[in-house]
Amino acid sequence: MDEARLDTPAAIDEHLTRVLTRAERARYGVRFVLCDRDNRVRVHCPVDEPPPFADGDGPRGTVAAFAASLTREPPGGGVLVVLTRPGSGAVSASDRAWFHATYEVCRAARVRVLGVYLVTPADLREILLDDAL
């Protein structure tokens, strides 16, 4: 993986624009971008068939699996969660479920969240707390 440093929203936008293909942006998926303590990208972990959000444990269990990998040595890593799907950039119930699962699980595991992003064929945006309420 490259040495991209995801320190700012602009750096995250640039990185995601560069690494996600149009086909990836147009299909349902979730991608966990695991970073070191300096926010340098270490690995992208795409999940092409994410569990349904209606199953309350689906998003939580998936986030927990990746968060656990960041609790081992070396400490201080962070995760960027990227939701991809067709359609508009309007935040959906599924997007909100992934947002809440990410922050709840990572807070409990003491893993830094670099953000939760929604990427569609036409849009790339960070999901903010106001979007998820």
Side-chain angles (χ1 to χ4, degrees):
M1 187 52 57
D2 63 36
E3 286 286 320
R5 191 178 218 135
L6 306 182
D7 284 340
T8 65
I12 293 170
D13 289 355
E14 187 278 325
H15 180 73
L16 295 178
T17 298
R18 189 169 39 82
V19 301
L20 292 173
T21 66
R22 184 145 179 88
E24 288 170 321
R25 292 172 73 126
R27 69 175 172 250
Y28 289 97
V30 62
R31 174 179 296 249
F32 294 86
V33 182
L34 306 182
C35 298
D36 66 13
R37 68 171 42 175
D38 296 319
N39 296 339
R40 286 187 306 253
V41 173
R42 289 298 167 224
V43 65
H44 278 245
C45 303
V47 179
D48 289 329
E49 294 185 30
F53 78 93
D55 171 5
D57 290 333
R60 277 189 213 92
T62 305
V63 172
F66 289 99
S69 71
L70 290 169
T71 61
R72 299 184 190 102
E73 294 295 324
V79 63
L80 173 68
V81 178
V82 182
L83 308 171
T84 59
R85 62 172 170 74
S88 79
V91 176
S92 70
S94 175
D95 303 331
R96 285 193 274 298
W98 281 97
F99 176 91
H100 289 292
T102 297
Y103 279 95
E104 289 168 12
V105 168
C106 290
R107 181 178 47 249
R110 296 185 178 178
V111 169
R112 290 181 307 113
V113 177
L114 302 178
V116 177
Y117 276 69
L118 173 60
V119 182
T120 68
D123 294 305
L124 187 156
R125 64 179 300 231
E126 183 175 12
I127 298 175
L128 303 172
L129 182 58
D130 287 349
D131 299 318
L133 294 176

